[in-house]
Amino acid sequence: QVQLQESSPGLVKPSQTLSLTCTVSNASIATDYYYWSWIRHIPRKGPEWIGYINYSGTTGYSPSLKSRTSIARDTSKNQFTLQLSSVTPTDTAVYYCARGRWRVIPNEPSDHDIWGQGTQVTVSS
């Protein structure tokens, strides 16, 4: 079955850039009509969709995070990455990578069918 695994950066200092990698197993991120997203769950708030990269390399971002977000991919490693710049303690969350449902252009967490286990990222000095 398809599996997604996030890297574990752990602690990030304020104003730095948060970098995460998602490794996908048993499926190609270049397969037609699939979108691959980053989602986060902030304590005491609901899950928040961050952005996606799709099978052809096209990206899309949440308007609220777009100015600080970059998502890229390495098809040779079957990985996609997240960079979130100028982080503050409000970016502390569990970060997930996830696969969008086939032929669905995701913009909310419920648009995804397979998720990684999540990784805790804490922003603190």
Side-chain angles (χ1 to χ4, degrees), residues 63-81:
S64 64
L65 295 169
K66 183 176 182 179
S67 63
R68 299 195 289 130
T69 306
S70 178
I71 297 175
R73 66 177 186 169
D74 184 338
T75 55
S76 68
K77 296 180 180 178
N78 215 37
Q79 296 175 332
F80 62 103
T81 59

Side-chain angles (χ1 to χ4, degrees), residues 101-122:
R101 302 181 192 280
W102 190 61
R103 287 188 176 267
V104 172
I105 302 175
N107 62 10
E108 57 185 58
S110 62
D111 291 331
H112 302 81
D113 58 358
I114 299 176
W115 295 58
Q117 65 184 22
T119 186
Q120 174 69 47
V121 176
T122 301

Side-chain angles (χ1 to χ4, degrees), residues 21-121:
T21 298
C22 181
T23 301
V24 179
S25 303
N26 303 319
S28 169
I29 61 173
T31 300
D32 283 353
Y33 307 124
Y34 278 112
Y35 290 67
W36 305 86
S37 291
W38 289 98
I39 299 163
R40 68 183 183 180
H41 194 146
I42 297 174
R44 296 176 292 281
K45 294 180 64 176
E48 178 182 26
W49 174 75
I50 299 170
Y52 67 71
I53 188 163
N54 77 356
Y55 53 95
S56 64
T58 300
T59 55
Y61 302 111
S62 167
S64 64
L65 295 169
K66 183 176 182 179
S67 63
R68 299 195 289 130
T69 306
S70 178
I71 297 175
R73 66 177 186 169
D74 184 338
T75 55
S76 68
K77 296 180 180 178
N78 215 37
Q79 296 175 332
F80 62 103
T81 59
L82 168 70
Q83 290 197 315
L84 183 66
S85 63
S86 304
V87 298
T88 71
T90 59
D91 292 308
T92 294
V94 177
Y95 284 75
Y96 299 88
C97 56
R99 188 184 76 172
R101 302 181 192 280
W102 190 61
R103 287 188 176 267
V104 172
I105 302 175
N107 62 10
E108 57 185 58
S110 62
D111 291 331
H112 302 81
D113 58 358
I114 299 176
W115 295 58
Q117 65 184 22
T119 186
Q120 174 69 47
V121 176

